[in-house]
Structure formats: structure tokens, C-alpha cells
Amino acid sequence: MEAISGVTTMVEGKLGLSTTAAQVLAWLIILTIMWMAFTMIAPKRGVLGKRKRGDTVLLLGQCGSGKTALFFKLRDDDGAVQTVSSLKPLRDSFAIKALEGSPTLDFVDCPGHPRMRGRGAELLKEAKCIVYLVDSEDKPKLKDAAEHLYELLTHPDLLQLHTPILLALNKTDLSTARTEKFILDELDREIEIMRNSRGAALEGQDAADSYLGIEGEKFKLLQHAPCPVQTCRISVKKPALDPLYDFLRDQFAF
């Protein structure tokens, strides 16, 4: 009330209004200031209501994981596509040829080069779901995959939208492919290292907003991710994509 009295006195003196009129104007000024502050803070804290996810299937992963081959397999049902690394997103809307009853879906294949990760992050707000491809044969790239997943799982858009992720372990037709357990254990271990090192560099609310998992427990991707995460084994080359089709059916209800 002291604030109201102070503003009322100021308005009376500056504008020469009556006490009643000055009080009304003072309330309007204070309520306007409060509303402006609220609208600035609310989007960050998620208090203006739940945001709605987009309608795009976002294909993410490292270079060579099979994202672009999957894109063309889904679009053209062509297993013989020869692809090269690109620095531009590949986007198209189509019904999946090999999947009976498929509606027209919007797909974006984001380049796997680390320099292009920012572009993929910009598209998170458009995503209905994420298919994250992992080369199950390439152990050295698992560290890079873990770093990318950490960046995704702490991104504000994903935290607010709870975008479902399918971790699709590709190239399982090869005899040298790692097991699902091996890959998950490696990802958990690398993310735990990053969680500790990066968390130590953050303070206050920033640390609380981006902290993954439960403090005091080792990070487990399937249990502690801030959004639904599923895993499956696929082969784009073979092809063996039934688990991916099931995931898309669940997300788009067809």
C-alpha cells in the first residue's frame, strides 16, 4: 500500500488530479508494470500454459549414421540411394511408401556436422518427435552422440515441449554392430561426465533449469531424460524398420 500511496501522491502533484482519480491511475500504472514483468518471465518459466509441439519428424544424428539414407528410404522406398554429407537441411512432406495407411508427414533431415547443430536446435519447436540415429558399429562416435544428446536434453524448447525421442540404433545388420546395452551404457557414462563438468560451471537458477536426472544418482538416459525416450534396433540398408514405423504410428495416431 505504501507503493500505491507514493504513486498516488506523485500523480496528484504532477497532473493536478483529485485524490480518487490519482488512486485509480496509480493502480492502473502498477498493474501495467506487473503485467509487463509477468509476460517477460512467464514464457521462460512455462506458466502461460503448455506449448504445443509442431508436426515435423526431425531426423538427427552424427555424419554417417544413416539419416539421409533413411530419409530417402522412407520417401522413395529406395534402398540403393547413395548419399553424401550435406551442410543444408533436407526437407520434404510425403507419405511413407512402404507403410500402408501412412498420412503425409513432414520430415527434416538435419546435417550431422557439429557446426550445423544450431540449425537442428532451431527446429526443435517445429518437431512432433525426434528420430535420433546412432551408428551402432562406430564406437568412437558415441561420445559425440552423447554430447549432442546432452545439448538436446537441456535445450529450453525440448524441456518445455517434452518432445519424444526414438533412439534408433542403425546398421544392426552388420556383425560388428554393438549391442543395445553396450550403446546405452556408453551414452549414460559420457552424459554423466558432461553433467558433472558442465553442471559445475553453472550457478543458481541456470543450474536448476538445465540439470539432468536426479542429484546424487548416476544418469540413466531411459529413466532420467526430461522427455520420453525409446530405443530400437534398425537397419536402413536391409531394411528392417518396423520399430521405427511403430513409433511413428504412435506419435501421429494412424
Side-chain angles (χ1 to χ4, degrees):
M1 295 303 293
E2 291 182 3
I4 293 293
S5 298
V7 175
T8 300
T9 301
M10 182 186 69
V11 170
E12 280 185 285
K14 294 285 186 181
L15 301 180
L17 299 175
S18 66
T19 301
T20 301
Q23 286 178 336
V24 171
L25 187 55
W27 273 109
L28 288 174
I29 292 171
I30 290 176
L31 289 174
T32 300
I33 293 172
M34 291 175 63
W35 173 248
M36 291 175 65
F38 178 78
T39 55
M40 290 175 65
I41 296 172
K44 181 178 179 180
R45 307 304 305 156
V47 297
L48 287 181
K50 187 176 179 180
R51 289 172 56 191
K52 189 176 184 298
R53 296 200 304 270
D55 294 310
T56 297
V57 180
L58 202 55
L59 304 179
L60 299 176
Q62 280 59 56
C63 293
S65 61
K67 300 186 313 309
T68 305
L70 175 62
F71 180 92
F72 285 111
K73 178 64 182 174
L74 296 175
R75 192 187 72 175
D76 305 326
D77 196 21
D78 185 354
V81 173
Q82 298 297 318
T83 63
V84 295
S85 296
S86 172
L87 292 179
K88 293 183 179 180
L90 183 62
R91 187 167 199 158
D92 201 357
S93 296
F94 53 84
I96 300 172
K97 281 202 171 183
L99 186 55
E100 185 177 353
S102 168
T104 297
L105 303 176
D106 186 36
F107 287 85
V108 179
D109 166 26
C110 287
H113 195 284
R115 288 186 298 171
M116 294 300 295
R117 283 181 184 169
R119 180 61 181 138
E122 291 173 3
L123 293 168
L124 285 176
K125 60 178 70 71
E126 300 181 31
K128 177 79 169 180
C129 58
I130 297 169
V131 176
Y132 194 99
L133 272 76
V134 176
D135 186 340
S136 59
E137 188 192 29
D138 195 341
K139 181 179 181 296
K141 284 189 178 178
L142 291 178
K143 182 176 181 178
D144 187 56
E147 181 177 345
H148 192 192
L149 286 168
Y150 181 93
E151 292 169 358
L152 290 172
L153 296 174
T154 56
H155 193 283
D157 285 329
L158 189 138
L159 292 173
Q160 290 181 16
L161 296 170
H162 302 284
T163 309
I165 297 176
L166 177 66
L167 203 64
L169 313 182
N170 190 27
K171 305 183 183 180
T172 56
D173 54 299
L174 301 176
S175 61
T176 50
R178 266 70 175 187
T179 65
E180 184 174 332
K181 182 180 184 306
F182 177 90
I183 292 171
L184 281 174
D185 286 347
E186 285 294 301
L187 293 175
D188 287 344
R189 184 175 65 83
E190 293 293 345
I191 292 176
E192 174 69 12
I193 292 171
M194 283 181 286
R195 184 178 74 152
N196 292 330
S197 61
R198 297 191 184 188
L202 298 174
E203 295 181 359
Q205 192 59 53
D206 287 337
D209 288 345
S210 62
Y211 190 81
L212 280 178
I214 300 173
E215 193 167 1
E217 294 185 16
K218 287 189 174 182
F219 182 78
K220 297 292 182 183
L221 181 60
L222 299 185
Q223 288 80 29
H224 297 152
C227 61
V229 177
Q230 303 176 42
T231 62
C232 71
R233 290 167 56 84
I234 66 167
S235 171
V236 177
K237 183 178 179 180
K238 194 172 182 178
L241 300 174
D242 285 347
L244 170 63
Y245 294 155
D246 291 341
F247 176 77
L248 294 176
R249 285 193 188 98
D250 287 343
Q251 299 307 313
F252 291 93
F254 67 88

